[in-house]
Amino acid sequence: MKSRSLKLREAHKVGGSAAFCSILWDHKAEHFVTSSSSDPSISVHDGLSPSTLPPTILRHHQDGVTALALSNDSTFLASGSIDHCVKLYKFPSGEFQTNITRFTLPIRVLAFNGSGSLLAAAGDDEGIKLINTFDGSIVRVLKGHKGPVTGLDFHPNGELLASIDTTGTVLCWELQNGIVSFTLKGVAPDTGFNTSIVNIPRWSPDGRTLAVPGLRNDVVMYDRFTGEKLFALRGDHLEAICYLSWAPNGKYIATSGLDKQVLLWDVDKKQDIDRQKFEERICCMAWKPNCNALSVIDTKGKYGIWESLVPSSMLSPTVGIPDILPKKRNEILNFDDEIEEELYGASESLNDSLVDSDAGESHHTSRKRLRKKTLIDDDADAYEELNDGSSLPSASEYSKKSHRAHREKQGARSGAFKSISTSTRYKMQSPFQPGATPLEPGKRTFLCYNMLGCITTIEHEGNSRIETDFHDTGRGPRVSSMIDIYGFTMASINESGCVFANPCKGEKNMSVLMYRPFRSWASNSEWTMRFEGEEVKVVANGSGWVAAVTSLNLLRIFSEGGLQKHILSLDGPVVSAVGWKDHLAVVTHVSDCLPSNEQVMEFRVFNISKMTQELKGRVALTPGSRLTWIGFSDEGSLSSYDSEGVLRVFTSQYGGSWIPVFSTSKEKKQEENYWVVGLNTTSLYCIACKYPEIFPQVTPKPILTILDLSVPLASSDLGAASLENELMLKQLRLYETQRRVDDMALVGVDTTALEDEAFDLEVSQDKCILRLISSCCSSDSFVRASELMKLLTLEKSMRAAITLVTKLKLPFLAEKFSSILEERLLEEANEAITDPSENLNREVITKVESKVQNPPASIQTSENTEAAVKSSATKLSATTLVRKAKVSEGLKLGKEQTKKDETEDAKIKEIKKLNLKNPVNNVNKEDKGQKKEVNQGEARRSSNPFLKSTV
């Protein structure tokens, strides 16, 4: 083997330090393209006579060009730059088409897939963007790397994408579902902050192996399916390999090292067969597609072509090229698969208008021009029809129309844009089962997971084995495992039993619904239902009933014993359903997606035992997100969680509204996704999944994470966000508790327990308000403090607030608080006169008015603000006992007139004992304070703005 010298020509001027330069050939070897990270221009050279014909110069970037990519048919060229833009051109003319996307940091690498329908772009930003080259929309962002991404390569069949970062970590992505097939941590050199050196992965032309620069100045080959190391090419490289390139037939591979050498390897023999030594480091190489030649470019912007590098005695690199055509998988582009629709949704629009300084046109304008110039008439008409939103055809209809038009007018497809024939219309979300994970062959997955237990399945020897487990083994019965001969894909579980269903599998296999009770007085209590001409989409069960929603938009309700009770027609395709006791919530689509990629969904809550519809309304979602979970809280409040990490609870406030009570944008830890399981009034129960995973693994058993609910508040100048959050959640809980009290009272049910709970909430809410008043006083927010004073529900709390501001030496605020207290007492007195249920004596009202007309002359102060709040809390605790006794007594009012008279006499006597000249001293007397609370209990209750709210 001998070392030869190759003369290089200058393509780009590089001053000072080394720059990363790129070179690549078109598929016919008629042109090659060069660029440099120190030069904002791109050079398109004539491949036949590069030395005689000047290159075509493309000047559209504002800074150095760091990445180039050509579509497989060489009709489109993409470039990325330090100026954060990715631009698209026609090739070889170089006509500028559009700014296809923009990053916030410099771009390092670009890659087209085999059909040209997707462009992958990455760099110093977090994430790899997959861009729909048809309309410039972002199909997906793949996140998982912890450093800048320097290398991207699509698998020859288009189903996989390999990526590598500066830390030497390789990720292999499955594009159909967006998950990582395998991860190779730290297998390549750590390039740090040197932008002239790149790690790069390369699939072999037959797609069987992935070549990656190794840590021992070698090239390591990894298996395409498992990521296992197969072998390494180790020779005479003295330093790390910085670039590699496969020959067209995969028999040879060229490697460039930091030692300024380029080696040629025979892959089968695992040995180097030739080499070249250069003055500068070769940073990029490209094989000439139709002959035995390799083009190279160094860090100074000089290029050359190494002719006849493979000896004539050996097989030519252009002989035996694998014939692997990229699969025409428009579902990868548009993500039509059911799993993808559940997890990620359709592509998100590139809304920002990127203006190119040279072209002078906005992103949207250039995109519109591009569509008109590159699409045939039929496709353009169909696409414009979709954008108009009228007479929307299905995706399949549009696809057939486009394929037919292409065959008639163009024959075989050519060009990245012309190869795209399916509609980019956003699709409605597919149905999903709450608490389920996607089925994976050979792996155990969840059919259902909730606060009670879980149902798992795993395929074994053609059949599936289903196991049912309870989180609390002492709570539920032990359920034996079951051999699944139907292939169930959805399930629901509660205390009574579990229900299973499967979709149709061909024309002969019908969809089956099975119910399996946990306890039954009769044997053979399991039952099944089969459906002809329809298939089950989601299932749910509750107290004595089972529900299934089918593809015909039918809600079928069965009894626990299998009796077909009701069949209801729904207004649209089902999204999900969940049961809780007597209630069934069903979510359906209202219409197609909006142009902004927003889902339009509606929910209905049925009471199965009463055969009524209790709630109906639209489902609130974060713009562009998907519904990922629906369920009831422990208290029975309908709740939802979307793909943007926002948890909402439906309340009857304002005539029925969704209130956000949790957002991962403020609570989410780095590199974690939350998979929701359930919630109560104070906490969210979820499973934290390591990023980029969004579903938990069955084994090892996932650990339940408990997170506090937190309303996504704006940043307040008060600096008491935790107190404001606590107050809003307590207000919501108090409102819902009182609503339940009113509902139960209407039907004559004893509400003593709920009344006690409501009063305890009032006490807790007042304590929170007092702390907020203290914060307002500290920040001179006196108007806000007076507003908080009006929210206090107990008289003792209001008097404690007066004590607090007096101690803080705010006499004007103490006077304002005293006037608020006077107004409250007068209001209570007036309401007591007009309230027929109380029927109080005129003498009582007169004495109360007399009490109000003589406000406190002096107020005893405590040692400090904290002591005042603590003193108030002590008094509130004592008041709690009095209030509970009063509530119990109030339930008996109106039953016996003698008891009512005795109560009125007692109230008159207690009011006479009141001494309002020194109210704080009177408050400190426990017995008198308790009696006064009894006297004003009902009036206080009617003044509470939350308790007075009605649905």
Side-chain angles (χ1 to χ4, degrees), residues 55 529 559 747 754:
M529 297 285 173
S559 69
V747 296
L754 275 181

Side-chain angles (χ1 to χ4, degrees), residues 610-670:
K610 297 180 180 178
M611 293 186 294
T612 59
Q613 179 178 287
E614 297 188 346
L615 295 173
K616 181 179 180 180
R618 291 289 177 89
V619 177
L621 294 171
T622 306
S625 67
R626 296 293 176 104
L627 183 67
T628 59
W629 180 83
I630 189 79
F632 289 93
S633 68
D634 289 351
E635 293 73 26
S637 298
L638 183 63
S639 310
S640 69
Y641 187 77
D642 63 29
S643 58
E644 290 296 321
V646 179
L647 176 71
R648 297 176 176 86
V649 174
F650 188 81
T651 174
S652 55
Q653 291 183 17
Y654 296 100
S657 304
W658 289 94
I659 295 182
V661 295
F662 180 85
S663 176
T664 57
S665 61
K666 295 188 176 182
E667 298 294 332
K668 182 178 180 180
K669 296 181 180 179
Q670 191 175 11

Side-chain angles (χ1 to χ4, degrees), residues 42 69 336 446 498 736 919:
I42 301 170
D336 288 341
F446 288 113
C498 50
E736 291 300 319

Side-chain angles (χ1 to χ4, degrees), residues 486 488 500-503 510-514 528-531 536:
Y486 298 104
F488 292 130
F500 304 91
N502 69 320
M510 293 183 291
S511 185
V512 176
L513 178 73
M514 171 187 283
T528 59
M529 297 285 173
R530 288 175 171 81
F531 302 91
V536 178

